[in-house]
């Protein structure tokens, strides 16, 4: 399958940092397939947000290169095309909504692209429909809940018809209900619309639907593989400064105690099945 | 504490005035204000009174809302009235005289004239703000100032409109934040109410500094988000909603022109 993102030997160091201090992102090689759902996990300061900003040219590489759909981020004239193809949603929903009315905010991106008013209207209506916020289209953003605001922000990106959406801890400031709404919407976008999703988070439970999980620590990729493979290696997750999901932790303790279980199951249901299998297998 | 503070004073209902093109409304307001000053005598002023009253009725905004506006400016009205009565000493009919104070009939009439003028100004401005959302106003201003682009000021106009939009968007957010900071500082034992003015101002510092800090951080985030959505200023940008004037706008404008003509004629004849 074709890759939408190609990262070669990427290193980035913030300007203010002394040359001797370690880089925020160091020596990263990464390809993201079109249509895939990738989760990037890492604790605060692991370089995951910096990596996100490098993807669409908000930050430019100190060394190495990033290209989106074959376009290099370092080339000034590509930048708008890259940002249209690769939309980004940030952590704080309050700080990414520009306008005072929901539908006008969703229109902000397409308006910047210089589209015809009728085309903008069409995209805004369909984006709001997709995130299930049509009934709030005339509302003021500050009257919405966190989850609703984040869905509006997502609609604002969708209206630009991107091929890939990068979400930088989109649920960190939300309550469990808002978190669920947002994750469900993202999953649906990936499965139904075939949009490539890169979800950056430190909530491991959100990796549940991922095709691929990448773990970052100190600016480097320390694990990269399927959900099951990555979570089977519990030591690595703990070393990256992340707390294990409860189900994985339970399975790994069982394994230590001599049960024949594999710890890579993240959802409670899958973990329960694994335990059932192990018990029925009669390994005790 | 701050939650009672509402942005602008838009009164949400549907009326003819609400549905007017905001550009027309804004221009009409400017001309009405100009003509309130053009009025030379009571007859002309009464025409304007009738006009303002009709606008208020058509707006479907309850009168108590308008009265609330008037209450705020009551001191100014009283002050103007007294000043006019005392300063105008012409005319033969002296109503009242004591020490160096003389009040003449002319003075009273002049005072009444000024008071009616001020009241009309406030009421007609309130009609605009009650029936037009801040967003509509911003769009109207941007659209009306568009001709400035021939002077090379197009980007400036766009920037000002964008700044207005962002300010309006962030006022409720920062108001909430201020509330939170005040609670947080109170929880730490900050005393915001007692003391003289100087110590009250000093007590505000622990609120203003975190607020400023957070506002700058928000601005930084917002700039990133706007960059991500391909914002590059006003150039090449289109709008989803185009303001399109309709029959209502032309009809109201025609009525206004007739009234204005009448005001001029009445001012000359009487």
């Amino acid at each position: 399958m074709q890759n939408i993102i190609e990262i070669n030997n990427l290193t980035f160091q913030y300007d203010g940092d002394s040359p001797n201090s370690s880089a925020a992102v160091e020596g990263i090689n990464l390809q993201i397939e079109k249509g895939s759902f990738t989760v990037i996990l890492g604790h605060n300061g692991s370089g995951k947000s910096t990596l996100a900003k490098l993807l669409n040219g908000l930050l430019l590489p100190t060394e190495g290169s990033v290209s989106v759909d074959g376009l290099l981020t370092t080339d000034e004239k590509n930048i708008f095309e890259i940002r249209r193809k690769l939309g980004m949603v940030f952590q704080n929903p309050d700080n990414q909504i520009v306008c005072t009315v929901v539908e006008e905010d969703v229109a902000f991106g397409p308006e910047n692209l210089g589209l015809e008013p009728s085309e903008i209207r069409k995209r805004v209506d369909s984006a709001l429909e997709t995130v299930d916020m049509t009934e709030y289209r005339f509302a003021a953003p500050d009257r919405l809940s966190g989850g609703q605001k984040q869905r509006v922000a997502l609609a604002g990106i969708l209206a630009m018809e991107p091929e890939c959406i990068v979400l930088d801890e989109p649920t960190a400031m939300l309550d469990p209900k808002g978190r669920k709404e947002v994750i469900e919407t993202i999953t649906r976008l990936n499965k139904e619309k075939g949009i490539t999703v890169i979800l950056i988070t430190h909530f491991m439970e959100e990796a549940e639907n991922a095709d691929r999980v990448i773990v970052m620590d100190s600016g480097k990729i320390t694990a990269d593989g399927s959900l099951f493979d990555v979570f089977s290696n519990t030591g690595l997750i703990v070393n990256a400064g992340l707390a294990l999901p409860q189900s994985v932790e339970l399975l790994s303790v069982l394994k230590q105690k001599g049960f024949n279980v594999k710890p890579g199951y993240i959802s409670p249901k899958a973990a329960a099945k694994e335990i059932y299998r192990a018990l029925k297998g009669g390994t005790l | 504490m701050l939650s009672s503070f509402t942005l602008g004073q838009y009164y949400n209902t549907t009326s003819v005035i609400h549905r007017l093109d905001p550009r027309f409304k804004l221009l009409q307001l400017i001309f009405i204000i100009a003509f309130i000053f053009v009025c030379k005598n009571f007859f002309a002023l009464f025409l304007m009174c009738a006009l303002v009253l009709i606008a208020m009725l058509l707006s479907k905004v309850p009168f108590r809302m308008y009265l609330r506006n008037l209450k705020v400016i009551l001191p100014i009205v009283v002050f103007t009235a007294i000043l006019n009565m005392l300063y105008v000493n012409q005319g033969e009919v002296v109503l009242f005289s004591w020490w160096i104070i003389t009040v003449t009939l002319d003075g009273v009439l002049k005072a009444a004239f000024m008071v009616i003028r001020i009241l009309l100004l406030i009421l007609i401005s309130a009609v605009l703000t009650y029936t037009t959302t801040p967003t509509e106003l911003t769009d109207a201003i941007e659209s009306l100032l568009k001709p400035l682009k021939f002077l090379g000021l197009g980007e400036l106009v766009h920037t000002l409109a964008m700044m207005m939009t962002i300010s309006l968007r962030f006022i409720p957010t920062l108001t909430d934040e201020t509330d939170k900071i005040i609670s947080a500082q109170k929880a730490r034992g900050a005393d915001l109410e007692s003391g003289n003015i100087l110590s009250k101002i000093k007590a505000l510092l622990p609120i203003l500094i975190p607020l400023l800090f957070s506002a700058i951080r928000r601005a930084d985030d917002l700039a990133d988000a706007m960059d991500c959505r391909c914002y590059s200023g006003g150039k090449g940008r289109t709008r989803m909603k185009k303001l399109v004037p309709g029959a209502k706008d032309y009809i109201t404008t025609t009525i206004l022109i007739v009234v204005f003509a009448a005001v001029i004629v009445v001012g000359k004849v009487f």
Side-chain angles (χ1 to χ4, degrees), chain B residues 85-104:
Chain B
M85 275 194 277
L86 296 184
Y87 268 92
V88 179
N89 287 323
Q90 302 143 329
E92 272 112 57
V93 194
V94 176
L95 297 176
F96 177 79
S97 186
W98 175 74
W99 193 32
I100 52 164
I101 299 169
T102 320
V103 177
T104 66

Side-chain angles (χ1 to χ4, degrees), chain A residues 94-95 97 100 105 112 115, chain B residues 135 169 218 229 237-238:
Chain A
D94 275 324
N95 297 356
I97 294 176
T100 43
D105 185 74
N112 289 334
L115 302 172
Chain B
T135 319
R169 155 71 187 80
R218 283 180 191 278
R229 290 163 80 182
R237 186 172 146 80
T238 49

Side-chain angles (χ1 to χ4, degrees), chain A residues 53 56 58 80 83 94-100 103-105 108 111-112 114-115 117 120 124 142 156, chain B residues 135 162 165 168-170 172 218 221-222 224-232 236-241:
Chain A
K53 287 183 177 175
N56 73 347
L58 280 179
F80 287 110
R83 287 180 182 162
D94 275 324
N95 297 356
Q96 48 190 324
I97 294 176
V98 184
C99 301
T100 43
E103 67 166 14
E104 280 179 26
D105 185 74
F108 182 75
E111 285 176 343
N112 289 334
L115 302 172
I120 300 177
V124 168
D142 54 287
Chain B
T135 319
M162 185 49 76
T165 306
L168 291 170
R169 155 71 187 80
F170 275 89
R218 283 180 191 278
D221 280 1
L222 185 70
D224 273 351
M226 286 170 78
D227 270 341
C228 285
R229 290 163 80 182
C230 296
Y231 180 69
S232 60
R237 186 172 146 80
T238 49
R239 300 304 305 270
M240 172 171 71
K241 282 182 194 156

Side-chain angles (χ1 to χ4, degrees), chain A residues 253-274:
Chain A
V253 169
L254 287 173
K255 193 183 169 191
Q256 276 171 25
K257 300 273 180 203
F259 288 91
N260 180 23
V261 291
K262 294 185 180 118
Y265 296 96
I266 195 165
S267 77
K269 211 169 179 181
K273 270 188 190 157
E274 175 68 3

Side-chain angles (χ1 to χ4, degrees), chain B residues 103-157:
Chain B
V103 177
T104 66
L105 181 63
D106 279 13
V108 172
L109 289 177
K110 178 88 180 165
F113 198 78
M114 290 307 288
V115 166
I116 294 175
R117 249 186 197 171
I118 295 174
L119 295 183
L120 287 182
L121 285 180
I122 299 300
L123 288 173
I124 197 69
S125 309
V127 171
L128 180 82
T129 50
Y130 278 135
T131 60
T132 319
T133 62
T135 319
E136 283 177 324
L137 269 183
T138 314
D139 287 349
I141 292 168
E142 184 175 7
S143 172
L144 287 173
L145 293 180
K146 232 176 220 163
L148 286 180
K149 76 170 173 228
F150 295 114
L151 296 172
L153 297 175
E155 196 54 39
L156 180 75
V157 170

Side-chain angles (χ1 to χ4, degrees), chain A residues 37-41 165 167 170 183 186 197-201 206:
Chain A
F37 190 137
T38 307
V39 167
I40 300 181
L41 295 170
I165 300 182
L167 304 106
I183 294 300
I186 299 169
V197 171
I198 301 176
L199 173 63
I200 295 170
T201 181
E206 291 173 1

Side-chain angles (χ1 to χ4, degrees), chain B residues 44-107:
Chain B
L45 200 59
F46 276 130
L47 279 177
M48 296 308 289
C49 279
L51 184 75
V52 171
L53 199 67
I54 290 169
M56 285 163 66
L57 286 172
L58 284 177
S59 74
K60 287 193 190 165
V61 177
F63 267 71
R64 58 181 165 79
M65 301 287 287
Y66 288 113
L67 286 180
R68 207 154 67 185
N69 273 15
L70 293 184
K71 224 188 275 172
V72 181
I73 56 132
L74 197 65
I76 301 173
V77 171
V78 173
F79 184 71
T80 315
I82 292 173
L83 221 58
N84 271 290
M85 275 194 277
L86 296 184
Y87 268 92
V88 179
N89 287 323
Q90 302 143 329
E92 272 112 57
V93 194
V94 176
L95 297 176
F96 177 79
S97 186
W98 175 74
W99 193 32
I100 52 164
I101 299 169
T102 320
V103 177
T104 66
L105 181 63
D106 279 13

